[in-house]
Amino acid sequence: MINSRGERDSLFFYVLEQMQGMVHLCELHTKRILYANRLAQEELELQEGQACCREGSPHAQACGCRSTGQLLAHPEQVIHDAWYNPKTLRWYERHMQLLELAGGRLARLELSFAVNTLSGLGEGAYWRLILESIGDGVIATDGQGVVTMINPQAEKLTGWDRTSAVGKKLGEVFRTINTQTRLPVADPVDKVLATGQIAGLANHTSLLSRDGVEYLIADSAAPVKDSEGRIHGAILVFRDVSEEYRQREALRRSEERFRTLVETSINAIALHEIITDEEGRPVDYRFLEVNRAFEQLTGLSADKLIGRTVLEVLPGTEPFWIETYGRVALTGEPAELEDFSRELGRYYSVRAYSPRPGRFVTVFEDITERRLMENRLREMVYRDFLTGLHNRRYLETQKDRWEGEENLPLSVVIGDLNGLKIINDSMGHQKGDEYLQQAAEIFQAVSRPGDLVIRWGGDEFVLLLARTDAEEAQQICARIDELSLQSGAAALSIALGSATKATTEETLADVLREAESRMYQQKISSAQSRRSALVLSLQQALAEKSHETEEHARSLQRLAVSLAQRVGLSDAEVVTVSLVALLHDIGKLAISESILDKPGPLSEAEWEAMRRHCEIGHRIVASSPDLVDVAVGVLHHHERWDGKGYPRGLKGEEIPIASRIVALADAFDAMTSDRPYRAALSLEEAKAEIARQAGLQFDPYLTQEFLAMLP
């Protein structure tokens, strides 16, 4: 028995220095080695006074200072672990505990023993290291399903520590339920021990930990057998798949929602894979999935599409579609486009994207009706609805094309339909529209393929002639004049002007201005002939409306002109009288035929309507600047010498002389002609009535001269 303290300390020091284990003491605060025995100094290269995890030391990466926090949290605990020394190529089993030194200093005591042999399952530092390092939970049981071992990951997931778990039935430590039904799940170890076969948990299994946390797990259990096949227990290996499960369930729900969305979508949706040639160029694509809308769109069922290529199903598919989808599938860049499919004969809006390399999804929308409507609206915007010709707005969009050198020489013809306002006012806008349509037909008739006919304005037309010189343009103008004369419409008079652009320095706008200027010059120079044409046209329209014969009109004109000449009016005044005689009743074009053709006396309202024909006729004739003097004669041809006439109530010489002459001639002609409501008077009766109205209805001097010239 050792009694002295010094002898005891010497013996203890001797034991530490001679033992086959490494012992060292490290101060926690300074991380300095307070003591290291011989073996620790040799194998760990530890020196008293130096840092415990000095850089370059074989012990540095596995230094026990990494467990300082755990020791401080549980000062009564002894920590067991294992570590590997790359210098000696050996594993070490280590034990660490916290010591309080004199003065209250804290130190960490480490004892490490080299591991040379493994004594059995669950024993030894090497196997313990493996079980503690593995990321899966591991629980071992004996043949009765009692827990004999549990690793740290299993402790974490079950909420049971080793001390509490060992000796308990597995079902108490490892509580599982069905994630969806919440019903208990059968213990897999019971099945393993009963059958000797490996068993796994079903999907949707949750582990309920001791502390109330629920983990989604995947596991398997295997029997522990000896060499003779006898079962001594079971090993249960499980892992937390909560995040994987949530992601998988989210993906499944997303896929279900997506599939429902795809199947019920009104848009055609399809999944494809691109097919490339040896050089990686897209040459075809294969159908992988299609929805019902896609089947309806193509008229092909899914079983005839899936697995086949587009060129097998629709051999006329344009390369444009394959190339576009190839870029999407191979680059991942989405695409949106609208185009016409000749194979299907429809317009489509297509959105394409790539869910993964080599594949692409297409979302089709049939926009045929929309595109057709857009085309119709575009036509409405760029076409004149009356003539069907392109309009001025369309020419504005085409200017750049016509400015090109390839069109030189470029000639322009501008035509203006003369007297359209008079035609509209006298014969109605429907008649004016007919004349415009006839003019449009003439311009179209002289145009050639590639020429452009434009309705430039209300009564103007433009004809663009590519590769046409000035002489050819004049020939086309002559042809327009010829067709106008052949149209059968006396008022279809078109003033024309042309100009030619010979170089690119000139602009289309310049040529249009020059052609328009020449057209106005021609309009002025042909004013007299145009006036004759208008008068003839108005006369024909009046004859049709009032059923008056040309013979009657000419008879009235002869009487009026003869009187004008008899009283010595100038030639210009005689012409005015002649035209007033022809056009005095032109306002009746606006009077209802039911009034004009009424066989009996007119009512007061009907007389009021009839009396308006003077003012209406004045507006019609005055619309032509050349006929202003005639319009004044038309306005007053129903005035009376005594001031009781209409529409202004003028009297005596206030009434224009042309109006006074026409009033006499018209009254005499009316008296000697049959009317629906009375028979014609004899010449003598008419002359007597005219004489009675002298100084009342008629100019007395003109009456005297008029009666004198009658037979």
Side-chain angles (χ1 to χ4, degrees):
M1 183 174 180
I2 301 172
N3 294 319
S4 69
R5 182 178 180 84
E7 186 177 359
R8 183 184 297 275
D9 290 344
S10 296
L11 180 60
F12 180 68
F13 180 76
Y14 176 79
V15 170
L16 290 176
E17 289 297 309
Q18 297 301 317
M19 67 182 296
Q20 293 301 307
M22 295 175 289
V23 181
H24 70 274
L25 188 66
C26 178
E27 186 179 17
L28 296 187
H29 178 66
T30 63
K31 294 186 179 181
R32 298 289 177 182
I33 300 298
L34 300 177
Y35 169 77
N37 71 349
R38 175 184 58 80
L39 199 59
Q41 292 179 24
E42 292 176 356
E43 294 200 14
L44 301 183
E45 300 179 1
L46 296 177
Q47 297 295 325
E48 294 172 2
Q50 293 181 346
C52 62
C53 47
R54 175 173 48 84
E55 185 177 355
S57 167
H59 183 250
Q61 297 301 319
C63 182
C65 65
R66 301 175 186 277
S67 300
T68 297
Q70 186 177 352
L71 289 172
L72 290 174
H74 304 282
E76 76 287 349
Q77 184 179 12
V78 176
I79 298 176
H80 306 276
D81 68 1
W83 63 280
Y84 181 73
N85 187 341
K87 184 175 181 180
T88 61
L89 303 178
R90 300 174 69 183
W91 282 92
Y92 295 87
E93 182 178 347
R94 177 168 55 189
H95 306 272
M96 292 177 288
Q97 70 179 79
L98 189 68
L99 296 180
E100 185 174 356
L101 306 179
R105 292 187 301 164
L106 297 178
R108 181 182 69 256
L109 175 64
E110 293 190 26
L111 291 82
S112 297
F113 299 92
V115 179
N116 296 318
T117 61
L118 300 175
S119 58
L121 181 64
E123 298 177 5
Y126 182 71
W127 291 111
R128 184 160 50 250
L129 175 66
I130 291 175
L131 291 175
E132 291 181 356
S133 300
I134 194 170
D136 291 350
V138 180
I139 298 177
T141 72
D142 61 14
Q144 284 71 47
V146 175
V147 175
T148 59
M149 186 277 295
I150 181 170
N151 77 340
Q153 184 66 10
E155 288 181 309
K156 175 184 175 183
L157 294 176
T158 62
W160 290 75
D161 58 32
R162 299 179 191 179
T163 304
S164 303
V166 173
K168 297 285 195 303
K169 291 287 289 184
L170 178 66
E172 186 177 350
V173 176
F174 189 73
R175 296 175 52 232
T176 54
I177 62 171
N178 183 285
T179 306
Q180 297 176 340
T181 66
R182 316 305 292 175
L183 297 175
V185 173
D187 188 340
V189 168
D190 287 345
K191 183 176 181 181
V192 168
L193 295 175
T195 65
Q197 302 294 320
I198 297 175
L201 286 174
N203 293 330
H204 312 296
T205 298
S206 291
L207 171 64
L208 302 179
S209 72
R210 191 179 189 183
D211 50 13
V213 179
E214 181 175 336
Y215 299 97
L216 280 299
I217 62 169
D219 82 339
S220 64
V224 178
K225 300 179 180 180
D226 58 21
S227 58
E228 297 179 359
R230 290 189 294 269
I231 298 175
H232 295 274
I235 292 289
L236 178 67
V237 181
F238 57 97
R239 60 189 179 92
D240 179 9
V241 295
S242 300
E243 185 60 29
E244 297 175 26
Y245 181 86
R246 281 190 289 270
Q247 291 178 358
R248 188 169 58 251
E249 283 299 294
L251 178 61
R252 182 186 60 79
R253 289 192 295 270
S254 175
E255 288 177 344
E256 286 180 355
R257 289 194 298 270
F258 178 74
R259 183 166 295 278
T260 300
L261 178 65
V262 167
E263 286 301 314
T264 58
S265 173
I266 62 174
N267 292 330
I269 302 175
L271 173 65
H272 317 266
E273 65 176 356
I274 200 69
I275 299 172
T276 60
D277 60 16
E278 295 178 353
E279 298 179 1
R281 291 175 301 197
V283 294
D284 202 347
Y285 57 85
R286 192 182 314 281
F287 293 92
L288 300 180
E289 293 287 345
V290 298
N291 69 346
R292 286 193 296 271
F294 194 92
E295 293 179 281
Q296 295 169 357
L297 177 75
T298 61
L300 299 172
S301 60
D303 59 350
K304 293 182 179 179
L305 288 171
I306 294 175
R308 302 182 67 190
T309 72
V310 70
L311 293 180
E312 290 174 340
V313 179
L314 302 169
T317 300
E318 301 91 326
F320 163 78
W321 296 98
I322 298 174
E323 293 167 2
T324 300
Y325 296 149
R327 284 193 298 272
V328 173
L330 299 177
T331 67
E333 290 291 329
E336 292 190 26
L337 62 149
E338 291 185 3
D339 210 336
F340 182 76
S341 171
R342 290 195 302 269
E343 181 71 17
L344 296 174
R346 309 288 288 177
Y347 286 98
Y348 294 103
S349 169
V350 185
R351 296 185 299 279
Y353 64 92
S354 176
R356 76 181 203 190
R359 293 191 176 185
F360 64 95
V361 173
T362 53
V363 182
F364 280 81
E365 181 183 0
D366 188 339
I367 59 170
T368 303
E369 293 304 319
R370 191 194 81 193
R371 285 294 293 270
L372 292 178
M373 176 60 72
E374 289 173 355
N375 291 341
R376 287 193 291 270
L377 291 175
R378 190 175 295 109
E379 283 295 302
M380 292 174 65
V381 169
Y382 291 127
R383 281 195 181 273
D384 172 49
F385 75 95
L386 177 64
T387 63
L389 300 179
H390 284 105
N391 57 21
R392 187 168 188 164
R393 185 181 290 109
Y394 177 77
L395 181 56
E396 293 295 328
T397 67
Q398 299 295 308
K399 274 186 176 181
D400 291 342
R401 183 172 72 84
W402 285 92
E403 296 278 12
E405 185 175 359
E406 67 278 5
N407 293 316
L408 298 180
L410 173 66
S411 290
V412 174
V413 174
I414 293 184
D416 182 278
L417 186 58
N418 294 319
L420 181 63
K421 185 177 189 313
I422 295 177
I423 295 169
N424 285 332
D425 290 344
S426 62
M427 305 181 202
H429 285 274
Q430 182 176 353
K431 195 67 174 179
D433 289 346
E434 291 176 7
Y435 277 73
L436 284 169
Q437 290 167 340
Q438 288 179 13
E441 291 171 1
I442 290 173
F443 273 88
Q444 286 178 305
V446 301
S447 67
R448 307 156 305 181
D451 294 342
L452 179 61
V453 183
I454 297 288
R455 185 179 176 191
W456 186 248
D459 54 3
E460 289 185 331
F461 296 87
V462 171
L463 175 58
L464 270 61
L465 306 163
R467 297 176 295 282
T468 304
D469 59 25
E471 183 178 351
E472 292 176 290
Q474 285 299 317
Q475 293 172 358
I476 290 175
C477 288
R479 179 61 177 156
I480 293 174
D481 286 333
E482 181 183 346
L483 292 176
S484 298
L485 293 174
Q486 296 173 1
S487 67
L492 190 55
S493 170
I494 303 175
L496 297 168
S498 65
T500 301
K501 165 182 158 73
T503 67
T504 55
E505 283 72 25
E506 298 174 274
T507 66
L508 180 59
D510 295 335
V511 181
L512 284 167
R513 279 194 297 270
E514 184 178 352
E516 189 172 34
S517 175
R518 293 178 180 176
M519 179 270 294
Y520 281 121
Q521 292 174 10
Q522 198 263 350
K523 180 186 279 286
I524 293 170
S525 66
S526 63
Q528 187 61 44
S529 61
R530 186 176 66 254
R531 170 170 164 163
S532 299
L534 288 173
V535 170
L536 178 59
S537 177
L538 292 174
Q539 180 190 357
Q540 290 174 345
L542 178 60
E544 292 175 5
K545 182 72 177 281
S546 63
H547 307 295
E548 292 183 348
T549 65
E550 184 177 354
E551 182 181 352
H552 163 72
R554 291 302 177 187
S555 173
L556 173 60
Q557 185 184 37
R558 282 193 299 270
L559 286 172
V561 169
S562 296
L563 180 57
Q565 291 172 335
R566 181 180 181 87
V567 297
L569 297 185
S570 67
D571 290 344
E573 290 174 315
V574 171
V575 170
T576 298
V577 170
S578 174
L579 291 175
V580 172
L582 285 175
L583 301 176
H584 69 286
D585 277 342
I586 195 67
K588 289 182 179 179
L589 288 171
I591 305 301
S592 170
E593 292 183 5
S594 64
I595 296 176
L596 295 176
D597 297 337
K598 186 173 182 180
L602 300 180
S603 67
E604 184 58 34
E606 290 169 337
W607 266 118
E608 184 65 28
M610 179 67 82
R611 282 192 286 267
R612 286 200 299 271
H613 82 276
C614 296
E615 293 171 295
I616 295 171
H618 174 263
R619 288 198 302 272
I620 292 172
V621 179
S623 62
S624 173
D626 300 330
L627 300 175
V628 172
D629 54 343
V630 178
V632 173
V634 170
L635 176 64
H636 298 295
H637 78 278
H638 274 293
E639 302 286 2
R640 288 171 57 100
W641 182 262
D642 59 8
K644 296 180 180 179
Y646 62 89
R648 298 287 187 265
L650 301 182
K651 63 186 297 186
E653 293 187 357
E654 293 176 349
I655 305 169
I657 191 167
S659 301
R660 286 179 270 156
I661 290 174
V662 169
L664 262 171
D666 187 39
F668 178 79
D669 186 75
M671 293 176 190
T672 56
S673 301
D674 289 329
R675 290 288 187 266
Y677 50 87
R678 64 158 177 78
L681 299 180
S682 66
L683 177 61
E684 294 304 320
E685 289 173 330
K687 290 168 66 175
E689 182 63 26
I690 291 293
R692 279 194 296 273
Q693 293 298 325
L696 298 176
Q697 182 176 353
F698 307 122
D699 180 335
Y701 169 71
L702 292 178
T703 301
Q704 178 182 341
E705 293 298 322
F706 181 73
L707 293 174
M709 78 175 193
L710 293 176

